[in-house]
Amino acid sequence: GHWVKGKLGGSTLGAIVASLLQKVGLTASDYDVSRLTDAVEGFVIDNQTTCREALEVLQTAYLFDMVESEGILKFIPRGGET
């Protein structure tokens, strides 16, 4: 898998998820994070981890799901429509 490490802060949840996805080679046309609007004060990855593991931490904290629809990864707050 692809490994990520670093610190991201003072942003929206969608921007942080997008940054993680870009670090593993995805482009903006590969995903939709527009519904992830929560403010995030900071997110630290203090050891080498996969993008998936980092996303799972965020999913647990901010309650969103990832679905693939029409070839695009869509990030949806829990209880939202795809």
Side-chain angles (χ1 to χ4, degrees), residues 8-36:
L8 304 166
S11 192
T12 65
L13 179 59
I16 291 173
V17 170
S19 179
L20 289 169
L21 296 172
Q22 290 167 6
K23 285 179 184 278
V24 297
L26 296 178
T27 64
S29 62
D30 296 322
Y31 58 84
D32 177 3
V33 295
S34 63
R35 296 182 193 174
L36 301 181

Side-chain angles (χ1 to χ4, degrees), residues 38-76:
D38 291 338
V40 178
E41 290 301 317
F43 181 62
V44 176
I45 302 170
D46 61 358
N47 55 21
Q48 197 171 42
T49 188
T50 65
C51 181
R52 180 183 186 116
E53 289 168 338
L55 288 173
E56 287 171 351
V57 170
L58 289 169
Q59 284 180 292
T60 300
Y62 292 94
L63 304 177
F64 66 91
D65 294 308
M66 179 183 70
V67 297
E68 189 266 325
S69 176
E70 300 174 0
I72 297 173
L73 295 176
K74 296 182 180 181
F75 294 83
I76 313 292

